[in-house]
Each structure stands twice: as C-alpha cells, then as structure tokens.
Amino acid sequence: MLTRPDAAPVIVLNPDDDVAVARRVVAAGEPLGVEAIAARAEIPSGHKVAIRAVPAGGRVLKYGQVIGLATADIAPGDHVHLHNLAMQDSAVRHEFCADARPTPLLPEAERRTFQGYARADGQVGTRNYIGIVSSVNCSATVAKAVADHFNNKGGLEGFPNVDGVVALTHGQGCALSVKSEAYDYLTRTLSGYARHPNFAGILMIGLGCESNQISFIQRRYGLEESARLRTMTIQDRGGTRRTIEEAIAIIRGMLPEANAAQRTPQPLSGLKLALECGGSDGYSGISANPALGYASDLLVRHGGTTCLAETPEIYGAEHLLTRRAATPAVAQKLIDRIEWWQSYTERHGAELNNNPSHGNKAGGLTTILEKSLGAVAKGGSMPLEAVYEYAEPIDAQGFVFMDTPGYDPVAVTGQVAGGCNVLVFTTGRGSVSGWKPVPTIKVATNTPMFEHMSEDMDFDCGGIVTGAETIEAAGRRMFEQILATASGERTRSEIYDYGDNEFVPWQLGAIT
C-alpha cells in the first residue's frame, strides 16, 4: 500500500496501478491527493477511481495486475466500474515453483500451543459437540427432532462440557448414481464430518431404502461401529417416533464420556484453519484478507495448517499460488482444477465471471480477476504444500488449497469435512453464518460495517483502511484471536447460537 490512507481520500496499492481505491465517499471535484487529479464524479467508498488515462480496449491494472479491459476511454479522475470496465479471459503465465522454498517453521521450543480436546485418533478438537449425520433428506426431520430434544428441551442438563448436539441435514442422498462424482462428493463429506475432531460422538441416521446406504459409507471410508459412532435407519426401527426415542437414548448414552473430555495444552499442529471470504467489497483485498494472510503465515510457522478454497475466486490469480507450490505436481493439480472449472461452467452455459455477486459489485468489485487478486491474499506467502479435491482429508502440514465452489456454505462445508477445526471468514458487506461444529471468527474489512453489524462481527480490520493500524499488527491480533477461539473463547455466532443451517454439501450431476 503506497499512499498513506490518512493523508489522502484514496489508496494507491501499487506504483503500476491505473486506479486507486476510495477510502471514503469522494465528492465530485475533490482532489484525490495523487498528483493534481480531482474526482470527475462522486466515487463511492471502496470503489475505484482512475489515476491514469486508459484508452478503450486498454488493460486496467490494480495490485499491479490486470483486472480487466476498458470498454470506453477512461480519464484520470473517472469512476471505474461496470460502466467502463469489463472482464477479459485470464492470460496469466504460470511460473511453476518459481518461489518454492521449505516452509520456515519456528524451532519447536518457540512454537505456541492452545487448549484443545485430544481425540483417540490423534486429532485435536476445538469444540466438544455430538453430531447427528443424516444419510438422506428423508431422515432430516428425525435428526432435527433429536437435536432439538437436547438443545432446547433440557436434554443436556447435567452435561455442561458438551457444547450441543448438531443435526447435519441436507437435501441429497437418493436419486443419484453410486458410481458418480456426485456420490463421491457427498459420501466424502459425510464421512469427513463423522470423523471430525470437534465431535465427541456421532450418530448416523438413514431412512433405509436410499441410494446412499450408511453401510456403504462405512465400508468405503473405514467407519467402524463403536461407542463413539452409532448408526440406525428409520425403516428398521419401525418409524419416526420410535427412531427418535431410540436415537435420544443412544445419544444420552454418549453424553457421560463426552462430558468427561477436558481441554489440555496442544501443539498448533492440531489446528487446521479454514480461510474464507464472502460478501466482499473494495476493501477486502486491502485490509481483512491480507491481515488474515499474515495470521495464516504465523500459524503455519508455528506448525499449524491453513486451507484456502473457492477455486472460481482464485481464477486469474492462480499464478500467485503455482509459483510457490512445493512441487510441480502440486502446481499442476491446481491448474487441472482451474481447467475443470472452465469446462464445468461452459457445459452449464455459465462463465467464471458470473462472480462477483451483486453485493460484491455494490461494494466496488467489478470483475472476477479483481476479486481473485484480493481473495488470494488470505493465503499469505507460505509455500503451497498440497491441493485437495472437495472434502478430501487434509493430511499435509502447512498452507494448502481445497477445490470448492465460491458459494460460501458449500465451500466451508468441504473445508470442515477435510478436517478444519477453526474458521476465519472475512467480509465487507456482512455475514451472519456460523458453521457448527466449527467456531467462526467473522472479520470486517471496514469499521462502519463492523459497528453497524456489531452483534455478528468478531474482528475489525478497518484500522488498516484509515491508517490507524498496519496489516502486520492486525494480523498478529488475528493470530491471537484464532488461538483464543480454538481454546474455547466463544465467537458471536456461538454466543447467539447461530450456525445450524450452513451444512451444504456440493451437489453435482443429474438427479434421477
């Protein structure tokens, strides 16, 4: 960031840029504080204003990178947005492993710890829930009724160390081929939640006749029946009421052991942090996302794992990841996923620039290239150690990437299925999601929104925009917030008990 935000109404991010970003609403005729340029029209907060002339058809640079082509002549001081800037296909060159290097881990004696739940399989939980996994939409009503008994009707009395019972319901599970990619994604997601360390116990409930048989999932992913993992079907138990009664009894039997679990000091290798953004604005790539990137780097250096996702939202910025891939194979896997998305959107008559969303555009983002350059900042600067397909178990240490859609509920569901046990969600427009069983730290890109939505936001990065705080200082604060949250400090969504409806597995293919 070149221009001191407190010394001018705009922020210049790179010396090669053709545009600056408005720190606040800039009035028509107001000097920008960049050479002798004045705004030729009112510039909304977070939006772009030209600081160089760009002819029609010329490339427009932000972050020192191309974000699109001018559709009309642009003069210094012009508002630059949908009316004069359009998408172009990404033409980035992929420098495989140009910046590859070993992850610079701190000496073990200097690495931080957190207070977590050590599980028998070696994983570490940040929360202590019981989960109910429905194999099919037909068992969703039963799963919700059982969870309601414990969460809202006194079923957890006497078990203060259990955070709650989570019903993981969805609209899939039948009318799909068990040989399809859709089946792979769904079963991988369900099995990932079934072994997630934030659950002390799991009950899987099916109808009985669905395509997505629980027994198939167990065999395929090695989920053995045990005191921690129980299964049942409604048809086998004789109907809805009997299934609810027996499910309540099963979970009641899990509660004493779950309640006995205690937090103990754990290394940060037990943390897997999901990096997510949604409802982005023109400040996302300036404040919250780079601050999260700095916190991500710190967590990785202390031995933790961080996971970037949303493949459509790195399109046009993927070269910033391939150049720091640990191996050529890792870089190639990321490119393969980008190419899959290009083919996938083409098959469905869509385009990757369907994103940014309406809210993103209202906040100042014009093209997916621009959004991607800001979104990839969440990933910091550490080497890219691995690339995973949707909901695959994350077994590498360090910074990794997971292929997911850009739609937040689906993306985070995949990251949690992969094993992420904490989530940081940056937003410029506002987010109200919770994602049980994983604590969600919601980070505001700007102070006005943070204050306006104070009951939903956990962390304010607006000081970066005003000049009151540096990216590094905010990143260190965020790192400490992540450790405190992982150790049990409740987030806003947890205080208000939100997060029961964000489990949304990626649905692919034909429904027959």
Side-chain angles (χ1 to χ4, degrees):
M1 196 181 298
L2 297 180
T3 301
R4 281 173 53 85
D6 56 349
V10 299
I11 304 167
V12 180
L13 301 173
N14 186 286
D16 294 330
D17 285 354
D18 300 304
V19 295
V21 178
R23 181 168 65 90
R24 52 172 172 75
V25 175
V26 180
E30 182 178 351
L32 300 181
V34 180
E35 297 181 352
I37 303 170
R40 288 162 54 92
E42 181 177 280
I43 312 299
S45 177
H47 282 237
K48 297 177 291 299
V49 57
I51 56 174
R52 290 194 179 96
V54 181
R59 301 185 307 168
V60 176
L61 271 64
K62 180 183 176 185
Y63 303 108
Q65 305 282 333
V66 177
I67 61 170
L69 300 177
T71 58
D73 290 340
I74 296 174
D78 279 347
H79 180 205
V80 178
H81 199 32
L82 302 169
H83 59 285
N84 56 9
L85 179 65
M87 172 72 172
Q88 67 163 14
D89 288 336
S90 174
V92 296
R93 293 180 63 254
H94 298 114
E95 302 174 37
F96 279 27
C97 312
D99 295 337
R101 63 195 188 285
T103 297
L105 293 169
L106 292 171
E108 283 202 38
E110 298 178 20
R111 298 182 199 174
R112 299 282 295 278
T113 62
F114 75 104
Q115 295 290 316
Y117 295 100
R119 303 302 188 189
D121 62 359
Q123 296 188 93
V124 182
T126 63
R127 294 296 184 266
N128 195 40
Y129 284 98
I130 299 291
I132 306 172
V133 176
S134 59
S135 65
V136 65
N137 179 257
C138 307
S139 58
T141 296
V142 166
K144 290 179 179 179
V146 175
D148 182 67
H149 168 82
F150 289 99
N151 296 327
N152 302 312
K153 297 178 180 176
L156 287 178
E157 289 182 8
F159 302 99
N161 201 33
V162 178
D163 291 312
V165 176
V166 182
L168 300 164
T169 63
H170 54 92
Q172 303 183 54
C174 209
L176 81 169
S177 169
V178 297
K179 298 179 180 179
S180 67
E181 195 172 30
Y183 178 76
D184 291 343
Y185 281 19
L186 177 59
T187 56
R188 217 159 50 208
T189 300
L190 299 182
S191 68
Y193 272 76
R195 56 166 53 95
H196 197 280
N198 284 8
F199 288 124
I202 287 287
L203 173 61
M204 301 183 77
I205 302 179
L207 175 61
C209 59
E210 64 269 18
S211 300
N212 187 33
Q213 289 288 301
I214 291 175
S215 60
F216 293 174
I217 300 174
Q218 288 183 277
R219 287 196 296 271
R220 184 169 184 174
Y221 297 99
L223 299 174
E224 296 182 1
E225 195 94 9
S226 66
R228 180 192 175 276
L229 175 66
R230 300 289 302 277
T231 65
M232 62 192 307
T233 68
I234 297 168
Q235 291 169 349
D236 182 57
R237 293 312 190 272
T240 299
R241 183 184 59 80
R242 293 174 182 173
T243 305
I244 291 172
E245 290 177 351
E246 185 171 341
I248 288 172
I250 289 172
I251 291 177
R252 190 180 294 124
M254 292 179 175
L255 288 175
E257 184 175 351
N259 193 63
Q262 298 294 319
R263 292 184 183 273
T264 56
Q266 299 295 325
L268 294 198
S269 58
L271 278 188
K272 294 178 182 178
L273 176 69
L275 312 171
E276 186 70 15
C277 62
S280 300
D281 68 354
Y283 299 127
S284 294
I286 296 171
S287 62
N289 288 355
L292 176 53
Y294 191 91
S296 171
D297 285 351
L298 284 176
L299 186 61
V300 168
R301 295 198 68 202
H302 282 267
T305 296
T306 64
C307 179
L308 186 65
E310 299 183 292
T311 313
E313 296 189 11
I314 65 160
Y315 177 69
E318 67 271 18
H319 61 298
L320 302 178
L321 298 176
T322 58
R323 69 186 304 165
R324 54 187 170 108
T327 67
V330 171
Q332 186 59 56
K333 187 170 183 180
L334 181 59
I335 298 307
D336 290 345
R337 299 318 299 167
I338 292 284
E339 292 176 350
W340 182 92
W341 272 96
Q342 290 172 318
S343 174
Y344 176 67
T345 53
E346 183 178 350
R347 287 199 309 271
H348 290 84
E351 59 178 17
L352 286 172
N353 200 42
N354 184 54
N355 193 331
S357 68
H358 171 80
N360 297 157
K361 292 172 181 175
L365 297 175
T366 308
T367 71
I368 188 57
L369 301 181
E370 178 185 10
K371 185 177 181 181
S372 293
L373 289 164
V376 80
K378 301 191 303 291
S381 63
M382 291 293 108
L384 178 64
E385 300 290 348
V387 172
Y388 296 96
E389 293 193 29
Y390 187 78
E392 284 187 328
I394 299 170
D395 53 9
Q397 183 180 6
F399 171 60
V400 303
F401 183 85
M402 179 176 284
D403 177 33
T404 75
Y407 184 40
D408 307 327
V410 179
V412 175
T413 296
Q415 290 170 295
V416 175
C420 289
N421 51 11
V422 182
L423 164 65
V424 174
F425 190 104
T426 65
T427 179
R429 308 292 292 173
S431 171
V432 296
S433 299
W435 280 288
K436 291 179 182 180
V438 172
T440 303
I441 303 168
K442 292 191 286 294
V443 178
T445 69
N446 63 90
T447 299
M449 188 274 287
F450 175 81
E451 293 174 345
H452 184 62
M453 299 188 67
S454 59
E455 293 183 349
D456 293 285
M457 295 295 109
D458 298 284
F459 195 96
D460 181 20
C461 280
I464 298 171
V465 177
T466 64
E469 188 173 36
T470 64
I471 289 171
E472 293 79 7
R476 288 190 210 99
R477 265 198 314 124
M478 196 180 299
F479 174 71
E480 296 297 336
Q481 184 67 50
I482 292 165
L483 299 196
T485 299
S487 298
E489 183 176 300
R490 293 199 299 166
T491 64
R492 288 290 182 179
S493 60
E494 292 179 301
I495 290 170
Y496 294 106
D497 195 30
Y498 303 148
D500 287 308
N501 299 295
E502 285 80 358
F503 178 71
V504 186
W506 189 359
Q507 186 166 341
L508 282 175
I511 299 175
T512 57

